[in-house]
């Protein structure tokens, strides 16, 4: 295949130009791989933290004038028997203030069955001190987040006062501290279900029924089934976080536009190299055509050159992207949690599909970049090309 031999000779004849063309593609691939790793890590970390730190579905009363779910035990059993439901947990939630010495903070006081709530929220995995399940054996135990404990300046075993105007004051003992890495760490406290009802002077009701499903991405479908079968209002985590998910989709579109621009810049590097070769090798191209080389042969020479340069750039870029991503992943980069939906470190995830996308689009751009110079070379008149030098 003489086209390949000529393409390789062209590439090796201008080493400096070849180096910069290859490096331009490699740099584009490396940048895109790193950006994709960041986007993949950010998206998955955000979705995972949202899914794990909140119920997949929250069931509440469908009556806008009713704050509570009556007959919650009956509805809990009915929902638990539905396909795709993994666990259910009735919860009573009330706003209160927690004080310790001279410190006071407002919280959502959650009355729970610790076993049922842990099946839904996996709270026990986030415990840094104490035991969540000790709530089931204590009428005055309370479990709080680490940030709330720090604000109140309390440690395990300290007593705190829970205050609610109109309902009085009760003393609780800190028997557990959790750390979810979310806003719950400073705004949520857990007590046993019955003491919570007693504190707020309620009986036989729940604020909501929290649900965990087998497949979180089917939560919308299951929520619709719950509404149809129970006549209650069911909101999935997808519906509750619609704005965040829409933002991720919009952000993904914008990022792909940036990717396209980076690819185009790399493509111009390839095109510039090929144009230079065409102008430099006019006489040679003319001689080839005079010797019987067809337009197709000339076109193939320059398309092969584009493919070779692109392949070299892709291979070097993938290696660079992998090492840069690995280096960034091994170094913890702190982020302000209030700016990035509670994420405190820069998440990176190496996904083989990131490399696949980068390789596919790079090859497409490189081929497109080689088409015009190849057609320009094929269109040269052999007599004019030979006489040009």
């Amino acid at each position: 295949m003489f086209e390949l031999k000529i393409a390789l000779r062209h590439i090796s004849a201008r080493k400096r130009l070849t180096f910069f063309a290859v490096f331009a593609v490699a740099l584009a691939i490396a940048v895109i791989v790193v950006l994709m790793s960041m986007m993949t890590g950010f998206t998955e970390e955000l979705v995972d933290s949202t899914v794990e730190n909140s119920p997949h579905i929250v069931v509440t009363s469908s009556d806008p004038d009713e704050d509570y779910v009556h007959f919650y035990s009956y509805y809990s059993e009915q929902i638990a028997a539905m396909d795709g439901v993994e666990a259910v947990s009735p919860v009573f939630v009330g706003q209160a203030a927690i004080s310790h010495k001279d410190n006071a903070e407002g919280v959502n006081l959650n009355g729970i069955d610790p076993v049922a709530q842990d099946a839904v929220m996996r709270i026990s995995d986030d415990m840094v001190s104490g035991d969540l399940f000790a709530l089931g054996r204590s009428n005055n135990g309370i479990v709080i987040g680490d940030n709330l404990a720090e604000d109140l300046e309390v440690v395990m075993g300290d007593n705190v006062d829970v205050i609610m105007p109109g309902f009085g004051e009760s003393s609780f003992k800190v028997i557990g501290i959790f750390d979810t890495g979310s806003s719950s760490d400073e705004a949520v406290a857990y007590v046993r279900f019955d003491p919570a009802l007693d504190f707020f002077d309620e009986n036989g009701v729940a604020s909501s029924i929290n649900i965990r499903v087998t497949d979180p991405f089917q939560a919308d479908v299951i929520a619709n089934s719950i509404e149809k079968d129970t006549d209650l209002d069911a909101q999935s985590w997808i519906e509750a976080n619609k704005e965040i998910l829409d933002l991720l989709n919009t952000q993904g579109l914008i990022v792909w536009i940036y990717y396209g621009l980076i690819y185009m810049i790399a493509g111009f590097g390839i095109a510039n190299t090929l144009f230079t070769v065409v102008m430099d090798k006019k006489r040679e191209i003319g001689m080839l055509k005079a010797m019987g080389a067809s337009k197709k042969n000339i076109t193939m020479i320059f398309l092969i050159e584009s493919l070779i340069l692109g392949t070299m750039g892709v291979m070097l870029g993938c290696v660079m992207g992998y090492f840069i991503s690995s280096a960034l992943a091994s170094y913890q980069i702190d982020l302000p949690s209030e700016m990035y939906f509670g994420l405190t470190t820069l998440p990176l995830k190496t996904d083989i599909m990131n490399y696949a996308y980068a390789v596919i689009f790079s090859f497409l751009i490189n081929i497109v970049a080689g088409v015009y110079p190849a057609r320009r070379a094929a269109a040269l008149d052999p007599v004019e090309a030979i006489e040009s030098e």
Side-chain angles (χ1 to χ4, degrees):
M1 188 176 182
F2 76 93
E3 292 97 340
L4 176 61
K5 293 181 180 179
I6 295 174
L8 289 173
R9 190 174 67 186
H10 286 176
I11 290 172
S12 60
R14 302 181 71 87
K15 293 183 175 62
R16 181 176 297 179
L17 195 61
T18 297
F19 168 78
F20 283 110
V22 170
F23 188 73
V25 175
L27 191 60
I29 293 293
V31 169
I32 288 168
V33 165
V34 173
L35 287 176
M36 280 185 168
S37 297
M38 289 182 180
M39 280 300 301
T40 300
F42 177 78
T43 301
E44 291 194 4
E45 185 74 18
L46 184 58
V47 171
D48 287 347
S49 64
T50 301
V51 170
E52 291 303 319
N53 291 325
S54 62
H56 296 164
I57 301 173
V58 177
V59 176
T60 56
S61 173
S62 57
D63 185 352
D65 297 325
E66 178 59 66
D67 294 330
Y68 304 119
V69 177
H70 296 269
F71 308 109
Y72 65 85
S73 296
Y74 167 77
Y75 286 122
S76 295
E77 291 179 5
Q78 182 181 359
I79 294 169
M82 296 178 67
D83 291 338
V85 174
E86 186 175 320
V88 299
S89 174
V91 178
F92 186 90
V93 181
Q95 292 185 332
I98 297 183
S99 67
H100 176 71
K101 296 181 179 178
D102 295 328
N103 303 308
E105 297 290 338
V107 297
N108 288 322
L109 189 66
N110 288 20
I112 62 169
D113 176 337
V115 175
Q117 185 70 356
D118 187 63
V120 173
M121 298 280 289
R122 305 288 195 264
I123 305 171
S124 60
D125 295 340
D126 298 319
M127 297 296 294
V128 294
S129 299
D131 181 11
L132 173 71
F133 303 113
L135 277 180
R137 305 184 296 272
S138 174
N139 284 329
N140 70 331
I142 189 169
V143 175
I144 62 177
D146 59 341
N147 290 343
L148 180 59
E150 184 178 341
D151 292 340
L152 295 174
E153 298 180 0
V154 299
V155 295
M156 288 286 296
D158 283 348
N159 289 318
V160 296
D161 294 321
V162 177
I163 306 163
M164 179 63 186
F167 295 99
E169 176 180 327
S170 291
S171 180
F172 289 86
K173 182 179 180 180
V174 177
I175 60 174
I177 297 175
F178 60 85
D179 176 13
T180 65
S182 69
S183 58
S184 297
D185 296 342
E186 58 186 353
V188 172
Y190 295 107
V191 297
R192 198 158 64 85
F193 190 85
D194 290 338
L197 286 178
D198 293 339
F199 179 76
F200 289 101
D201 197 23
E202 296 290 347
N203 185 40
V205 296
S207 300
S208 63
I209 301 173
N210 293 343
I211 301 170
R212 186 181 186 89
V213 298
T214 306
D215 182 359
F217 294 97
Q218 290 295 314
D220 267 344
V221 176
I222 298 174
N224 290 334
S225 297
I226 291 172
E227 289 185 345
K228 181 179 178 180
D229 293 347
T230 65
D231 228 12
L232 296 173
D233 183 61
Q235 185 181 53
S236 71
W237 72 272
I238 298 173
E239 182 182 353
N241 296 279
K242 187 176 184 302
E243 291 184 0
I244 294 178
L245 297 177
D246 287 345
L247 176 63
L248 288 177
N249 291 332
T250 303
Q251 181 174 278
L253 176 61
I254 295 172
V255 169
W256 274 104
I257 292 174
Y258 282 127
Y259 292 163
L261 294 174
I262 295 172
Y263 282 129
M264 288 177 63
I265 293 171
F268 277 118
I270 296 289
N272 179 63
T273 301
L274 297 181
F275 269 122
T276 304
V277 172
V278 170
M279 302 310 296
D280 190 52
K281 301 293 183 181
K282 270 188 178 183
R283 183 179 178 84
E284 181 179 320
I285 294 169
M287 293 178 66
L288 285 171
K289 295 190 74 174
M291 293 170 63
S294 65
K295 287 185 177 182
K296 181 180 178 181
N297 295 137
I298 302 300
T299 301
M300 282 297 298
I301 290 172
F302 287 92
L303 288 180
I304 290 172
E305 286 186 43
S306 176
L307 189 61
I308 292 172
L309 292 172
T311 300
M312 293 168 64
V314 165
M315 293 175 64
L316 178 60
C318 286
V319 173
M320 290 171 58
Y322 174 78
F323 281 108
I324 294 172
S325 297
S326 299
L328 290 174
S330 64
Y331 181 75
Q332 182 171 304
I333 301 175
D334 294 329
L335 300 174
S337 60
E338 64 275 7
M339 290 181 63
Y340 296 97
F341 305 102
L343 299 183
T344 56
T345 58
L346 179 66
L348 282 94
K349 181 178 179 180
T350 301
D351 189 337
I352 190 66
M353 289 307 299
N354 292 344
Y355 294 89
Y357 290 141
V359 169
I360 291 170
F361 283 105
S362 178
F363 275 125
L364 290 175
I365 292 293
N366 290 336
I367 292 298
V368 171
V371 167
Y372 183 66
R375 290 173 64 88
R376 180 78 176 272
L380 287 174
D381 181 84
V383 176
E384 291 182 0
I386 293 172
E387 291 179 349
S388 64
E389 296 185 9

